[in-house]
Amino acid sequence: MKGRPGSLSAGRSVMGRLVMSRLGAAGFSLVFVIVTIFVITSALPGDVADTLLGQGATPEATARLREALHLDQPAWLRFWHWAGGMLTGDPGRSLLTGHPVSELVLPRLHNSLLLAGATAAVSVPLALAAGLACAMFRGGWFDRIVTFLTLATVSVPVFLIATLAVFVFAVQLKIVPSLSDIGSIHSVWQFIRVFLMPVLTLTSVTVAQMVRMIRACMIDVLSAPYIEMAVLKGLSPQRIVLLNALPNAIGPVVNAIALSLSSLLGGVVVVETVFSYPGMAGLMVESVAARDIPVVQCCALVFCVAYLALTTTADIVGIASASRKRDA
Amino acid sequence: MRDLFALRRKIPPGTRRILTLLSAWLLLALLGPMLAPHPPGEIISGEVFGPVSAHAWLGTDYLGRDLCSRLLWGIRYTVAICMMSTALSCCAGIFLGIATTVTPVWVERVLGRLMDGLLSIPSLLFALLVVATAGESAPALILTMAIIYMPGSYRTSRALALRIVRMDYITAARARGETRSFIILWEILPNMTDPLLSDIGLRFIYAVLLLSNLSFLGLGVQPPMVDLGSLVRENILGMAYGAPAVVVPTLVIALLTVGINLTLDRGRV
């Protein structure tokens, strides 16, 4: 069959083009991110050598450090070496300890992924259930309570929820330690005890955001004419949401979930610090406080790549679901 | 001028509510420290994490300083820094957002790509990067947050302006031979103020959240200055006793952000 306008293959090629252009934009954003990270950390006023050695440093010591850090080279050459190193998996050495940055970052990255995975595993089903229930009983007491709670949660800083969790579970109930010690995990119960509070905090933030977005998606789909038809046929609201609306809302809902997961990042930074969780965000905050620039750069790049991957996935799912709707 | 007066009469209730709330916080930030019963750095009691009393209205902090006075100063710094950065980011974002609807297409292409690039760096991460090199000074914080929230404001105002620029009265203004800046300032902008205001309110909340998180991490406002986030940070040990020194600043942050968000939400529904 030749591809007529409006036929399946024509729809596919339009979709392919949209996806390619979205991937191109992501590629541009990646380059932008790499350049921006370098510019902010290297070109802003303030000499790293001066900052590191403090005011009492002799000029010779500063000069030697500047040479060791290649600060005497022009900016574009430093950028070339730095970006090349980053892309080939050699992000340099820590200014503080002298260890290779990759040795510092990799175990921390593993821990962070563990935390993010646990959070996603808990929050996605929970948010789906709550979001769908809100759409089913829209305007009812459940919907109103959830809407208020999620609004309150997304509009307070993450550390507020984290400190509240510490207060309730570690100070009042004394059932969990207030610090996360991954080394002491030997059983499932210990695993739960260590992860409970960080995951709980992150989950409440993520779920709140997802529920708001999922609810909005569902309500958008529920305003379609075929839903009105189903209502007129006398179907129950539960049946309509699950069987008529949900299949058509999967694209936007997955999009919403991916976007919420990408905004998890700000939460991770705070949560890892509050609970002394040995993850990458914690490492980054420590390195920022110590002005250990190579570690900061590497952490920032890893985070940005993860963020970019999630937002791009969200958009591509959105494009795919929109084009499916066009085909239908 | 006549446009402005006509606008004032037509302010919808949602917009009026949010304006009232924002000006109340601004007033508290301006006048609050004058009402403070003690200097913010003075140790007034030997008792740390003291309870509420006639001498210390909201108890004392981890050094025995008056929490009420420190809170009033903290509100000033939080509100001032966040309002300034919101004003900067929204002025730039709104102007550019509207301007790109009346300028040649390539301007939008370039600018839009740049804004997308900025949007692909998570806000807290961006702030951490700047703090790592430029330090934690207040101007650096304001400028950083202004840059972080500009792309969002740009996108919203561009989307709003795109709808307006197709209207007949814009075509009429063009036919009259009005300049671009006149069309931006007097034809497009006055017709999108209400949705813009709720966008500005939202960005102010984001700024408060970001600043509080930064200060809580110890990478935002530095002593002897104090903001709401650093108040929570320095008194965090009082959590174990449920001291007002840590509970009250937390509540004030929640009051600020949830209050504005609820007001915006009511306007939206």
Side-chain angles (χ1 to χ4, degrees), chain B residues 2 67 157 180 203 225-226 240 263:
Chain B
R2 207 185 48 220
L67 184 74
S157 39
R180 270 186 201 147
R203 267 171 233 296
M225 288 193 290
V226 61
T263 317

Short mmCIF file of all heavy atoms in Angstrom, two decimals, chain B residues 2 67 157 180 203 225-226 240 263:
data_model
loop_
_atom_site.label_atom_id
_atom_site.label_comp_id
_atom_site.label_asym_id
_atom_site.label_seq_id
_atom_site.Cartn_x
_atom_site.Cartn_y
_atom_site.Cartn_z
N ARG B 2 -5.40 56.03 30.74
CA ARG B 2 -6.81 55.69 30.81
C ARG B 2 -6.98 54.18 30.87
O ARG B 2 -7.80 53.67 31.60
CB ARG B 2 -7.50 56.24 29.56
CG ARG B 2 -8.97 56.55 29.76
CD ARG B 2 -9.54 56.97 28.43
NE ARG B 2 -9.12 56.02 27.41
CZ ARG B 2 -8.76 56.36 26.19
NH1 ARG B 2 -8.76 57.61 25.82
NH2 ARG B 2 -8.39 55.45 25.31
N LEU B 67 13.65 34.06 69.48
CA LEU B 67 13.24 33.50 68.19
C LEU B 67 12.34 34.46 67.43
O LEU B 67 12.45 34.60 66.21
CB LEU B 67 12.52 32.17 68.38
CG LEU B 67 12.17 31.55 67.03
CD1 LEU B 67 13.40 31.00 66.37
CD2 LEU B 67 11.11 30.52 67.13
N SER B 157 4.45 33.24 29.23
CA SER B 157 4.00 34.51 28.65
C SER B 157 3.98 34.43 27.13
O SER B 157 3.13 35.04 26.50
CB SER B 157 4.88 35.67 29.12
OG SER B 157 6.20 35.29 29.19
N ARG B 180 6.96 48.27 17.57
CA ARG B 180 6.91 46.97 18.24
C ARG B 180 6.79 47.13 19.75
O ARG B 180 6.01 46.45 20.39
CB ARG B 180 8.18 46.18 17.92
CG ARG B 180 8.04 45.34 16.69
CD ARG B 180 9.26 44.48 16.54
NE ARG B 180 9.37 44.07 15.14
CZ ARG B 180 10.51 43.87 14.51
NH1 ARG B 180 11.65 44.06 15.13
NH2 ARG B 180 10.52 43.48 13.26
N ARG B 203 5.82 31.24 40.60
CA ARG B 203 7.28 31.33 40.56
C ARG B 203 7.85 31.84 41.88
O ARG B 203 8.93 31.46 42.29
CB ARG B 203 7.71 32.23 39.41
CG ARG B 203 7.95 31.40 38.24
CD ARG B 203 8.18 31.97 36.95
NE ARG B 203 7.21 31.34 36.08
CZ ARG B 203 7.21 30.04 35.80
NH1 ARG B 203 8.12 29.26 36.29
NH2 ARG B 203 6.28 29.53 35.03
N MET B 225 23.33 36.93 58.55
CA MET B 225 21.99 37.07 57.98
C MET B 225 21.22 35.78 58.28
O MET B 225 21.82 34.73 58.50
CB MET B 225 22.07 37.26 56.46
CG MET B 225 22.59 38.60 56.03
SD MET B 225 22.30 38.87 54.28
CE MET B 225 23.42 37.72 53.53
N VAL B 226 19.91 35.88 58.27
CA VAL B 226 19.14 34.68 58.58
C VAL B 226 17.88 34.67 57.73
O VAL B 226 17.27 35.71 57.50
CB VAL B 226 18.82 34.65 60.09
CG1 VAL B 226 17.98 35.83 60.49
CG2 VAL B 226 18.13 33.37 60.48
N ALA B 240 14.22 17.23 68.70
CA ALA B 240 14.04 16.16 69.69
C ALA B 240 13.15 16.60 70.84
O ALA B 240 12.48 15.79 71.45
CB ALA B 240 15.40 15.70 70.21
N THR B 263 -4.57 30.17 47.43
CA THR B 263 -5.22 31.33 46.82
C THR B 263 -5.20 31.23 45.30
O THR B 263 -6.20 31.50 44.64
CB THR B 263 -4.50 32.62 47.25
OG1 THR B 263 -4.22 32.54 48.64
CG2 THR B 263 -5.33 33.84 46.97
#
